[in-house]
Amino acid sequence: MMPSAFAQFQQGGVDKEGTWHAGEGLKHGDYFSYEICHVDYKECAEFGMDLWIKGDVTSGSETKWLAETVVYDGNKVVVGEMELGKIAPEPTGGSEELGVYRGAFKSSVVWLSAFATSDGPSHGKGPKAFSATSWGKIGNIGGEQVLPQVIETVTVPAGTWETVQVGWKTGGASSKVWIVDDFPFPIKAKTFTHVSEGIPPPEYEFTLLEYRENVESSPFVGIVSTADKFAAQGCQTDIEKTTAVKKSTVGFDYQVHVFYGPEDPVQGCEMDWLIKFISKFDDTEFLNQVQFDFLVVDDNLKPLRSIAQEEGRPFLYSPSGQYILDLIVEEEPGEAKYVVWIYGLAPEGIVPSTASDYVEIPVTIFAGEGGSPSIPTIPDPVTPSTPAIPDWIKTNAGWWADGAIDDGSFVQGIQFLIKEGIMQIPPTTQGSSGGSDGIPDWIKTNAGWWADGAIDDNSFVQGIQFLIKEGIMNIS
């Protein structure tokens, strides 16, 4: 009889013969598509990474795998190559422009190569048995044991797999990586950063979206890096964030320090930002767990563009109080009004109890030489469907945003519309209440913007999905 999941967590090891190591079974022609985030890159903002194992490459005296690689990061596409070791498939070389993504890949998808490699004598690691009581300790978080915990059937976009769940405790959270016998990389992971108190933020997450074997020719023919497109149309590509703006929000609840570049941004080209959220009481103290958005607004503060919505998220999030943002300048030449809109301070699954506030940053946008460069069209791997919602519902949303009807009346109306099939909500797991009976300010703000036509139906529906997922709204 196989031990219970709890017993396996305590003892380590599962009832399965065989061993596993990172890179097991990797071969020429393998194609992988992952969705990844890592805390060291934009504090776990997701990006897509596709790899095709092209063949061998000699690096010094070592023979490695050469992997053609494409990264989809918001509006940016990065095309290049990575070199993967054959003892441990850690990326150690390749295209310079893939540097930050290569680091995230190494620290997430192939992280278990710190414990399990193909060759034991070389590194003292070697393949690890599924039945082993422990695969090793994580020194940087107090010697936590990495353990095979349970056999579990898991479904991801790439298919359904019988996996061994390898995990460890991270403060008050359980970090988990799902591996498959004779498959080179894990198919899924959800791990957390070690913290001494509070809710541990994500360290890394990833999911296998697609896997193919025996792909004989490059699947990336015709895909061009965004940087190459920018360079071809005369955009600056070596960007330094040299312009600094330090301001208090309009209600003096927060300080926001931003650094952006280039100094003279051009329509259709890239612009990079570093945003720092600072305590109003102490210029040296970063705020944390900041829920916010980065907007372009008109003279009446009506949003014309939301970066969170463009990334398919209800809001942006900074656990540490610093956030790196890059965007393509879509605004017309002249003065653009960029706004950092702070919804409040709270973990991602908790409604903020702190004040909403904002800071406006006017920036002059320039036309490119010979006119404005065209804004490149970037392929989007996933195109969300936009539910059709009757226009009359917007009246109720506007009343609610203005305080003419209460939260309960608004929720009851949405429940009725969902049950009657008038409002189509994509499949959403019902969550349990996070201990707050309030509705986040950003959802009420979105409702007002939606009623005014400033955001689309799909963006409004994302807010309703959030209410259902967090248990604030019950549709059963």
Side-chain angles (χ1 to χ4, degrees):
M1 177 182 295
M2 189 175 70
S4 69
F6 177 78
Q8 289 179 49
F9 182 80
Q10 297 298 308
Q11 301 169 7
V14 298
D15 186 12
K16 181 179 178 65
E17 294 183 357
T19 62
W20 183 87
H21 62 83
E24 181 175 278
L26 190 62
K27 59 188 180 300
H28 170 257
D30 280 353
Y31 168 85
F32 308 87
S33 179
Y34 278 96
E35 184 177 69
I36 305 171
C37 83
H38 190 273
V39 67
D40 288 342
Y41 179 63
K42 295 186 179 180
E43 307 200 77
C44 226
E46 292 180 345
F47 63 88
M49 176 178 277
D50 297 353
L51 301 97
W52 173 62
I53 306 301
K54 183 177 183 178
D56 289 349
V57 61
T58 300
S59 179
S61 60
E62 184 179 357
T63 300
K64 301 180 180 181
W65 292 113
L66 182 63
E68 289 189 3
T69 308
V70 177
V71 169
Y72 300 93
D73 184 6
N75 289 322
K76 181 188 297 185
V77 176
V78 184
V79 180
E81 294 180 335
M82 295 197 305
E83 297 173 5
L84 307 178
K86 291 204 170 185
I87 293 176
E90 298 177 354
T92 54
S95 305
E96 182 179 355
E97 57 270 29
L98 287 171
V100 293
Y101 306 106
R102 188 165 53 241
F105 177 79
K106 177 179 179 179
S107 300
S108 59
V109 176
V110 296
W111 180 80
L112 282 175
S113 63
F115 300 88
T117 64
S118 64
D119 185 1
S122 295
H123 293 79
K125 300 169 186 174
K128 291 294 189 292
F130 297 117
S131 59
T133 56
S134 171
W135 282 14
K137 294 182 178 181
I138 305 174
N140 65 342
I141 57 173
E144 305 292 352
Q145 295 281 349
V146 177
L147 312 168
Q149 294 182 166
V150 66
I151 296 172
E152 182 179 0
T153 300
V154 171
T155 298
V156 295
T160 299
W161 312 72
E162 182 184 86
T163 73
V164 174
Q165 183 194 108
V166 178
W168 59 96
K169 294 292 288 184
T170 310
S174 295
S175 293
K176 301 173 183 178
V177 180
W178 288 264
I179 63 175
V180 175
D181 192 13
D182 202 32
F183 195 78
F185 306 123
I187 65 162
K188 181 181 176 182
K190 187 175 182 64
T191 73
F192 299 91
T193 301
H194 181 78
V195 293
S196 57
E197 59 183 20
I199 300 175
E203 181 173 16
Y204 64 82
E205 299 181 28
F206 59 79
T207 303
L208 181 63
L209 304 179
E210 185 180 358
Y211 169 67
R212 285 184 271 150
E213 296 181 274
N214 303 316
V215 178
E216 293 301 324
S217 59
S218 174
F220 306 134
V221 174
I223 299 177
V224 180
S225 286
T226 308
D228 292 342
K229 292 183 179 181
F230 286 148
Q233 63 188 29
C235 293
Q236 181 178 343
T237 55
D238 185 15
I239 298 174
E240 295 185 5
K241 295 180 278 288
T242 55
T243 303
V245 179
K246 299 182 180 181
K247 300 174 71 172
S248 294
T249 51
V250 294
F252 301 100
D253 290 302
Y254 314 98
Q255 291 188 70
V256 177
H257 298 179
V258 302
F259 304 84
Y260 70 81
E263 182 180 1
D264 299 326
V266 175
Q267 184 188 25
C269 296
E270 194 172 26
M271 190 177 185
D272 292 349
W273 296 74
L274 170 62
I275 305 171
K276 298 183 178 182
F277 301 94
I278 309 294
S279 167
K280 64 181 178 180
F281 302 111
D282 185 349
D283 282 353
T284 65
E285 180 184 344
F286 284 93
L287 302 174
N288 54 39
Q289 299 178 331
V290 185
Q291 298 182 17
F292 72 103
D293 201 353
F294 190 89
L295 307 172
V296 181
V297 302
D298 65 12
D299 292 337
N300 299 314
L301 208 64
K302 179 179 178 180
L304 306 173
R305 184 182 181 190
S306 159
I307 298 302
Q309 290 173 22
E310 290 179 9
E311 295 183 1
R313 303 162 65 184
F315 54 81
L316 304 176
Y317 182 66
S318 173
S320 68
Q322 299 190 74
Y323 195 88
I324 297 173
L325 180 76
D326 46 45
L327 57 86
I328 298 173
V329 179
E330 298 180 355
E331 292 62 59
E332 296 288 338
E335 184 178 86
K337 292 180 171 63
Y338 292 106
V339 165
V340 179
W341 190 288
I342 302 173
Y343 294 117
L345 311 179
E348 285 192 274
I350 305 297
V351 176
S353 58
T354 50
S356 294
D357 209 344
Y358 70 94
V359 63
E360 185 175 311
I361 305 156
V363 177
T364 301
I365 306 301
F366 293 84
E369 295 180 9
S372 301
S374 61
I375 298 171
T377 301
I378 306 301
D380 187 350
V382 180
T383 303
S385 60
T386 303
I389 302 175
D391 289 339
W392 62 264
I393 300 176
K394 294 186 179 181
T395 303
N396 278 7
W399 287 344
W400 176 60
D402 294 338
I405 62 174
D406 61 18
D407 291 356
S409 300
F410 171 75
V411 169
Q412 288 176 1
I414 296 297
Q415 287 174 320
F416 173 80
L417 295 171
I418 293 172
K419 289 179 180 178
E420 295 300 316
I422 299 171
M423 177 181 287
Q424 302 296 321
I425 299 293
T428 304
T429 301
Q430 176 75 53
S432 58
S433 176
S436 172
D437 296 325
I439 294 178
D441 285 346
W442 64 263
I443 291 183
K444 185 167 286 190
T445 302
N446 274 11
W449 289 343
W450 179 64
D452 293 337
I455 63 174
D456 61 18
D457 291 354
N458 192 58
S459 300
F460 179 68
V461 166
Q462 287 176 2
I464 303 305
Q465 285 181 280
F466 176 87
L467 295 181
I468 296 169
K469 182 179 179 181
E470 298 303 323
I472 299 169
M473 176 188 293
N474 194 317
I475 60 172
S476 59

